[in-house]
Amino acid sequence: MKPDVADYKATLNLPQTDFPMKANLAQREPDMLRRWQSNTLYQKIRTCSQGRPKFVLHDGPPYANGDIHIGHAVNKILKDIIVKSKTLSGFDAPYIPGWDCHGLPIELQVEKKVGKAGAKVSPTEFRLACRDYAQQQVGRQREDFIRLGVFGDWENPYLTMDPRFEADIVRSLARIIEKGHLVQGYKPVHWCLDCGSALAEAEVEYEDKVSPQIDVRFRAVDTARVNALFGADNPGADVPVSIIIWTTTPWTLPANQAVAVHADLDYVLLDGSPDNDPERLILAEALLERCVQRYGLENYRIAGRAKGQALENLSLHHPFYDRDVPVILGEHVTTETGTGAVHIAPGHGQEDYAVGLKYKLPVDNPVGPGGLFVAGTPLLEGMHVNKANNFLIELMRENGTLLAVGKLEHSYPHCWRHKTPLIFRATPQWFIGMDVNGLREQASQAIGETRWLPDWGRARIEGMVENRPDWCISRQRTWGVPITLFVHKETGALHPNTADIMEQVAQRIETSGIDAWYELDPVEFLGVDAEHYVKVTDTLDVWFDSGVTHVAVLERRAAELAPPPADLYLEGSDQHRGWFQSSLLSSVAMRGVAPYKAVLTHGFTVDAQGRKMSKSLGNVVAPQKIFQTLGADILRLWVAATDYSAEMNVSEEILKRTADSYRRMRNTLRYLLSNLNGFDPVADLVANENMLALDRWAVDVTLRLQQQIIEAYDRYQFHRIYQLIHNFCAVTMGGFYLDVTKDRQYTMQTDSRGRRSAQTAMFHIAEAMVRWLSPILSFTADEAWHYIPGSRVDSVFLETWYTKLTPLPESEPMNADFWRNVLVVREAVGKQLEILREAREIGASLDAEVDVYCEEALCTQLALLGDELRFVLITSYARLQPAEKRPKNAAEGKLANGGSFWIKATPSEQEKCVRCWHHREDVGSNKKHPQLCGRCVENVAGKGEKRLYV
């Protein structure tokens, strides 16, 4: 009785593993999180890492308001990949997450619930409500960050509203004051009418706005002198001469104190008027054509020319107030637009303020915090600035000073919270002076000593620091760290014992929170001096709060982390203006160096068409939806696969493609694990020198790839890691090694050297690959870790890079070049087999035989494999033939060095072995096993097949 085919199936070593084919990440990941938490995995990593060199990635705090969005997810995942890869590289890499908890957005949310501070609730009650709200937001965001698989000390994060942190903010300000960088001034600042507060540079964004544009006459007081300066004839004292200014903010004209021209520009004195009345106009010659077109001047002549330098100190009549203003010189005057003459209101512009200081101009700000002109402002008292524009245009039209009016769409500063236009208004504020005690120069030097990734980040922040105004650190808010200063009622000077007072206040805040400042009686600290000093009521800019985390976190928790500078700061590219800069300036102001050694930035997330995420467009991709459907590992893989140095495109379709790539990697891992069924690395591991040549090559390839992967992790090139691993899974493993070794794995005897050799290689590959993937596919890697045979630690995250991969010796005949040529030949054979398959002459590749016609050098190489060449090509027969015997219809192939070979593939006419599916002439030669080929008989009933190479 002949054995049944099913009987032979039992003799095969078919792959088997409990590692699931279907990932079901959305369901499995929460269970894994619970296991990590119950096993205190993060704390175990810290214990294992003791004594190693430190690597500190310092977390920039997200704002504690609202659920996390896709940008938050990108940021935290990138950080997590780095921290985990550094741990694998043998560093102690702790990660302390943090949150920014003070500031206006939280105030606005709380106001909706309890009303404004000082109205429906007391300031103390309001601050308590803000603290409770922020704590709730922190809890919600923390859950989502943990769900993403991000490791960190989530039980002990840093919060800027923690009393110890608030105390350290006060101490940081004291250190900056001690270094002499704090100044008080009545300066123009960005002011949000909705916030009712000054804004920092980082809180300003630029959007398009339509503004009125007007050209206004500032008539000269002494027309004869003007005509003489221009070398022009004097048409008579009754012919007015005006310098023409152009502005898009008519409401600032009440604060005008001068008109600026550029010393080196050429100005013309123009005879001509749109009303045909005798009049002379002064304009920059470079703007003449545009101006006369704007004014509708058809008949005009140039009566004279003069340099701007000559016009300095001329007196001009204000266009609607009874006062005269001087002509001054300003470097900021350009010929890009306008008239070449700029109206100067030092209370409403930074450049105006700067040039006003030089000429000692009054800093007049007639606009109150709500945007209304203050009491006593002629013509405009109580009027809102938005209404003042039209009012003033009509006023100047009636009094004859308006020359032209139109509309201009231009980029204009807006509040990043309310998306509403800002105004510049001068108010008493506290500043960190950029040019006091060399802060700007020291900051620029620190930038040069920092590594910027990508390198364009350096030029970006250099330009910002070079051109930025003084840092306004004061705010007029309730929910924030107070500026704990006492100033003299008459002189405004700080109390002489400020440093001691601030430390005492900090100690109280550390115990009782920021309310301690508002509750203290000045007499406690100042004694009899209290009657001469007032307590500052302003709060600190929240960018100061987060900017001093290098003190409140890195210094405060130095034993756990390391004192500054941190090894790396990582945030979005907008933080060159924000956290990177506030951290830099505060650190340089305190200790003269940057708080970081390196700064890495990532781009913004956009949809597949490159558009910003918007609810109105319906293109928002929520991370919560992704990890609830596809799983967090898919989101993590998308982050790794995307070049974060530019905008990061994401959509449901992109994530589905990412899921396809994920399956390729998971299936490769699963196949490796399934072929390790019954393998005991203690008893069955084959020494490298005893492994088959193909297995030694596979281990060598894995080692070389691991070196590339580690280098890419060190360079933060995660998209390259994705490409390397995906190619390894799809091409090196799936397209070659795992395909070739199936026959050996399945058909050879269980304990044969050939099978154990392949299992040894796969064991090494699995050990390495699960580590490569763990920083990115954290859930999948740690899941697979528990299916690799052998005793092992609780988690892959307690390991370092795999070190038991052995390179091929240079003297090895079957070296990397040998296998490179084999792969070229195999690919050429595959193409010919596909032609036979499409012609329906064969089904599987084993239904074919192949002849390889080649030159002597290649023949000598391939001959090393002997009969085992057929196992590499996965054909039933593979014969080597001299090149000169090739038939005319043989297909030509090319080696990398340019050499040629030829392939002839034909269907096999031999019987098919039911066990290994090879067509062999010896099928049926054994009467007990008439359906088997000779080697299968040997594997089933004999001592077992011998393999040497493949």
Side-chain angles (χ1 to χ4, degrees), residues 668-681:
T668 301
L669 259 181
R670 185 174 187 274
Y671 186 76
L672 290 168
L673 295 172
S674 67
N675 279 291
L676 294 175
N677 182 40
F679 179 77
D680 180 357

Side-chain angles (χ1 to χ4, degrees), residues 712-849:
Y713 270 122
D714 287 343
R715 294 183 176 182
Y716 312 128
Q717 296 172 339
F718 308 129
H719 65 291
R720 173 159 171 74
I721 294 167
Y722 163 81
Q723 293 164 356
L724 289 170
I725 296 178
H726 188 270
N727 185 73
F728 179 74
C729 292
V731 179
T732 310
M733 292 287 105
F736 179 51
Y737 179 72
L738 299 180
D739 196 27
V740 170
T741 53
K742 279 181 182 177
D743 181 90
R744 178 157 41 112
Q745 280 281 83
Y746 295 0
T747 66
M748 293 187 72
Q749 291 183 345
T750 300
D751 204 32
S752 63
R753 170 175 168 254
R755 182 166 181 270
R756 293 304 190 199
S757 174
Q759 286 185 310
T760 297
M762 291 184 188
F763 174 78
H764 290 316
I765 294 167
E767 285 273 20
M769 185 176 171
V770 77
R771 289 167 168 82
W772 305 341
L773 290 173
S774 63
I776 298 169
L777 299 178
S778 294
F779 293 99
T780 302
D782 205 44
E783 180 188 10
W785 177 257
H786 297 279
Y787 291 93
I788 301 175
S791 60
R792 55 194 53 251
V793 296
D794 289 345
S795 171
V796 65
F797 299 110
L798 299 173
E799 286 285 355
T800 53
W801 300 116
Y802 193 58
T803 58
K804 296 181 181 178
L805 300 170
T806 308
L808 277 176
E810 291 294 328
S811 58
E812 171 68 53
M814 294 184 180
N815 57 22
D817 288 336
F818 168 84
W819 290 108
R820 196 172 293 114
N821 284 342
V822 168
L823 283 166
V824 172
V825 172
R826 186 175 188 272
E827 183 180 0
V829 169
K831 290 178 181 178
Q832 297 309 304
L833 296 179
E834 187 59 30
I835 292 172
L836 293 180
R837 191 176 290 111
E838 289 177 356
R840 299 183 182 276
E841 294 186 49
I842 64 170
S845 62
L846 287 171
D847 295 339
E849 301 180 5

Side-chain angles (χ1 to χ4, degrees), residues 386-446:
N386 292 339
K387 293 184 177 180
N389 281 335
N390 290 334
F391 175 82
L392 292 174
I393 288 171
E394 291 306 313
L395 173 67
M396 291 184 288
R397 195 194 307 273
E398 292 175 8
N399 71 17
T401 57
L402 185 71
L403 184 58
V405 63
K407 291 186 180 299
L408 177 72
E409 183 174 353
H410 61 139
S411 180
Y412 189 84
H414 285 63
C415 173
W416 74 324
R417 299 183 184 95
H418 295 98
K419 312 302 179 186
T420 52
L422 303 176
I423 65 171
F424 260 104
R425 62 184 294 267
T427 56
Q429 301 288 347
W430 295 93
F431 298 85
I432 293 178
M434 291 300 298
D435 298 302
V436 177
N437 293 330
L439 180 58
R440 194 186 306 274
E441 290 74 17
Q442 291 178 57
S444 296
Q445 181 178 344

Side-chain angles (χ1 to χ4, degrees), residues 173 184 197 427-430 472-478 480-485 517-518 535-541:
L173 179 59
Q184 186 181 24
S197 178
T427 56
Q429 301 288 347
W430 295 93
C472 178
I473 61 169
S474 50
R475 297 292 181 270
Q476 295 70 47
R477 308 307 314 169
T478 304
V481 176
I483 297 179
T484 57
L485 301 175
W517 170 251
Y518 300 106
K535 186 163 50 171
V536 172
T537 58
D538 289 348
T539 59
L540 279 163
D541 172 18

Side-chain angles (χ1 to χ4, degrees), residues 12 38 251 356 458 712 720 764:
L12 297 173
S38 64
W251 65 268
R458 173 175 176 174
R720 173 159 171 74
H764 290 316

